Structure formats: structure tokens, C-alpha cells
Amino acid sequence: MKRHYWILLILILGFTSCQFMGPIDVNIERKNVEVNSNDIIGTWKMDKFSYEYLSEIKNDSIVLTFKPNNKFEMNNSQNLFDREINNGISTGTWKIIEQYNTKKIKLNFDKSNITTDLEIYKLKNNYQLWYFLSDPDTGERIRFLK
């Protein structure tokens, strides 16, 4: 009888694992997203959920602006991708790249010579930019919405 419980437990864990369930929203496009520079140019705000994984500042304060000349500016964010919000301004260049059937925005920061990739997702007609702070299965991510 105990063996049946173990088998049932293994099946339940297998069916509810993150690999089986897919992304948080099953309608979000992650592969082969059609996007061009005009879809990206403009102002993007970090969503409120993303602040859960950052430093003490929990207000709605981070904005990422993509300019037509392939420059970007991000406020309160010199160390954003290291989980820290501060009063610094980050600037640099950006470009859309493709890697393994996914589209990404490569950010090249001016002062630090660091590059960061933001994954481009699409839900209906709205694009989203995601950066995972650790394993995507943990849900620790930063997301920007236009």
C-alpha cells in the first residue's frame, strides 16, 4: 500500500513541476517573436512585482528609455542587475539580437563596460522585457512593460 503512495507522490510532483506547466502565462510568446526597433523605442517601466527582489526601495521608480539612435538611459539603476537600486543613471547603447530562436536586447553600459541581455517576450500585442536574476524557475526576475 505504501508503494502506491510513493508512486502517486512522484506522479503529482512530476506533473506540477515547472517544466511541465510551462511559463507563468501560457499565452506569452517566447520563441520566434517578431520585433523591430520601433517596437522597442520608447519608455518602459519596471513592474511592481520586480521590486520584491531588489534592495529596500520598493516604490515605482525605475524607467528604461530606448532612443531611436540606439542609446538607452535608465534611472535609479547603476547596479540594477546586481539587485540594487540607487540614485545613479545608467546609459549606453542597445541592439536587438537573436539567440536560439529568441530575441533579446543587448544593453552595453557606458561606464562599466558590462553587457546585459533582456529577453523579449510578447503577450498579445504587448512586448515585455525580462531579466532573470537567478534560475528562471525561482521566479526571481525583473520585467519592464511599455
Side-chain angles (χ1 to χ4, degrees):
M1 190 69 165
K2 284 187 176 184
R3 182 176 179 173
H4 294 293
Y5 288 119
W6 282 108
I7 292 172
L8 181 61
L9 178 64
I10 290 170
L11 287 173
I12 290 171
L13 290 174
F15 286 128
T16 59
S17 74
C18 55
Q19 300 295 329
F20 179 77
M21 298 300 283
I24 295 170
D25 187 331
V26 294
N27 296 318
I28 198 164
E29 293 178 48
R30 299 178 300 147
K31 302 269 186 192
N32 301 313
V33 173
E34 293 295 325
V35 63
N36 62 51
S37 295
N38 291 331
D39 298 320
I40 301 301
I41 293 169
T43 301
W44 297 71
K45 288 185 74 172
M46 195 167 77
D47 72 341
K48 293 186 187 309
F49 183 79
S50 298
Y51 291 92
E52 295 292 322
Y53 300 107
L54 301 172
S55 61
E56 300 80 41
I57 300 173
K58 301 294 183 194
N59 59 9
D60 191 17
S61 64
I62 295 185
V63 175
L64 173 58
T65 303
F66 293 101
K67 299 177 182 179
N69 62 355
N70 288 82
K71 301 279 186 183
F72 75 87
E73 182 173 299
M74 193 166 34
N75 68 324
N76 294 333
S77 58
Q78 279 184 321
N79 299 320
L80 176 65
F81 302 108
D82 291 326
R83 298 180 184 237
E84 181 184 332
I85 299 174
N86 56 30
N87 291 324
I89 301 290
S90 297
T91 60
T93 60
W94 66 275
K95 68 180 176 179
I96 298 172
I97 63 169
E98 185 169 349
Q99 185 178 34
Y100 307 113
N101 295 326
T102 62
K103 297 283 176 64
K104 299 180 180 192
I105 296 177
K106 181 170 283 301
L107 300 178
N108 295 304
F109 292 86
D110 287 337
K111 289 185 180 177
S112 60
N113 291 329
I114 294 175
T115 63
T116 299
D117 293 345
L118 302 175
E119 297 189 30
I120 303 172
Y121 294 163
K122 187 176 181 183
L123 181 60
K124 298 180 183 173
N125 292 326
N126 300 311
Y127 292 95
Q128 302 178 7
L129 305 178
W130 290 56
Y131 176 83
F132 293 99
L133 295 165
S134 61
D135 182 355
D137 295 338
T138 65
E140 295 180 8
R141 55 93 177 139
I142 295 173
R143 180 175 69 168
F144 290 94
L145 304 173
K146 198 169 187 184

